[in-house]
Amino acid sequence: MSLPHALLTSLAERPGSGSELASRFDRSIGYFWQATHQQIYRELARLEANGWVRSVAVEGARGRKRRYDLLPQGLEELARWTAEPMDPPAIRDELMVRLRAESVIGPSALAQRLTEMLSLHRQKLAAYQAIERRDFVSSSSDRRRRLQHLVLKAGVDFERQRITFYEDSLSILEDDG
């Protein structure tokens, strides 16, 4: 996945300024695709140079605030990218390497790190569940809402799986025998 397509998706949902996009990104797409605010602003400039978005100055705003709108060419690019074949995501997980290292070198402070990470995954799961209770209390027949809910449920499932994996790992690491 690429940042340009994440931003095009966000703009297809609703136009906004760079700061609004960065904030929305932090609250939604940012849960599964990370980008700094600087990366977002740089990419918005590239999207505009490609003719996929246009920006207009926001009247009365302080500084050089601009609002970005998705252009038809940007929507065409998003449709092209969405239909393009994709490979299954490769697993590149530092935890797996650390567990393998622990198996070779013996006890280390890894259990403490995993306990910390377990807490973070529990917090993220709680945040996802709060979003679900707030935004998806009733089932919807609206395709857009159902797809958004599906993405959220994937995050919930991921966090649950990670919590189980961390608990299982800690059980082994903390076993004396």
Side-chain angles (χ1 to χ4, degrees), residues 48-64:
E48 190 166 23
N50 286 343
W52 295 345
V53 302
R54 93 169 148 240
S55 69
V56 293
V58 175
E59 289 186 37
R62 292 186 355 209
R64 298 177 302 185

Side-chain angles (χ1 to χ4, degrees), residues 23-87:
S23 176
R24 287 186 355 226
F25 204 89
D26 288 345
R27 291 188 323 264
S28 62
I29 291 175
Y31 283 119
F32 51 90
W33 189 261
Q34 305 295 310
T36 66
H37 290 200
Q38 286 180 333
Q39 288 171 316
I40 290 171
Y41 280 102
R42 274 195 309 268
E43 197 55 51
L44 285 169
R46 285 189 200 112
L47 294 175
E48 190 166 23
N50 286 343
W52 295 345
V53 302
R54 93 169 148 240
S55 69
V56 293
V58 175
E59 289 186 37
R62 292 186 355 209
R64 298 177 302 185
K65 187 172 185 176
R66 304 188 70 73
R67 190 189 85 201
Y68 292 86
D69 293 293
L70 184 65
L71 294 173
Q73 299 90 328
L75 192 57
E76 288 172 13
E77 169 55 21
L78 190 56
R80 182 208 60 77
W81 174 79
T82 302
E84 172 177 278
M86 61 184 156
D87 293 324

